[in-house]
């Protein structure tokens, strides 16, 4: 099910309040060509900085982050958070020869 652009913008306005304005959220949503998930990710990743800084950065880049790039960023974040421990086989699942 897809939603209209206006519904998406309304949802963003409900999710993000002051200092975010409809105008700044509209600019971010348009930058990501109406893709809600990318827009929400960008706003959340922007943190507490002023919304205009994100809008300006996106305007300078002239293109949205691709899904592959966003997936790559997420994978790097998850990899850095989890300690890498080898998984030992379950002794009951190993059969003697």
């Amino acid at each position: 099910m897809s939603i209209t652009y206006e519904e998406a913008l309304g949802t963003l306005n409900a999710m993000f309040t002051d200092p975010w304005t409809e105008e700044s959220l509209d600019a971010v949503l348009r930058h990501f060509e109406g893709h809600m998930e990318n827009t929400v990710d960008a706003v959340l990743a922007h943190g507490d900085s002023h919304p205009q800084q994100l809008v300006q950065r996106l305007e300078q880049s002239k293109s949205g982050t691709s899904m592959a790039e966003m997936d790559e960023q997420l994978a790097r974040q998850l990899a850095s958070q989890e300690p890498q421990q080898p998984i030992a086989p379950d002794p009951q699942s190993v059969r003697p020869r």
Side-chain angles (χ1 to χ4, degrees), residues 1-93:
M1 180 177 145
S2 75
I3 61 174
T4 67
Y5 187 87
E6 290 76 20
E7 290 170 328
L9 189 55
T11 299
L12 291 170
N13 274 314
M15 292 172 65
F16 302 105
T17 57
D18 191 50
W20 291 94
T21 63
E22 185 168 333
E23 181 180 285
S24 59
L25 292 168
D26 177 60
V28 178
L29 184 60
R30 286 187 187 281
H31 177 80
F32 288 106
E33 299 175 351
H35 193 281
M36 281 287 290
E37 185 175 355
N38 290 352
T39 302
V40 170
D41 287 346
V43 171
L44 291 174
H46 187 62
D48 292 333
S49 299
H50 194 277
Q52 193 58 34
Q53 291 173 331
L54 175 60
V55 171
Q56 288 173 344
R57 194 170 74 236
L58 293 176
E59 286 174 352
Q60 290 171 353
S61 74
K62 298 293 182 197
S63 65
T65 304
S66 71
M67 285 302 291
E69 290 170 327
M70 292 185 79
D71 288 346
E72 198 173 303
Q73 287 175 339
L74 180 58
R76 278 195 294 269
Q77 284 177 332
L78 292 174
S80 69
Q81 291 174 359
E82 292 182 17
Q84 300 297 320
Q85 297 177 354
I87 300 174
D90 181 4
Q92 293 181 2
S93 67

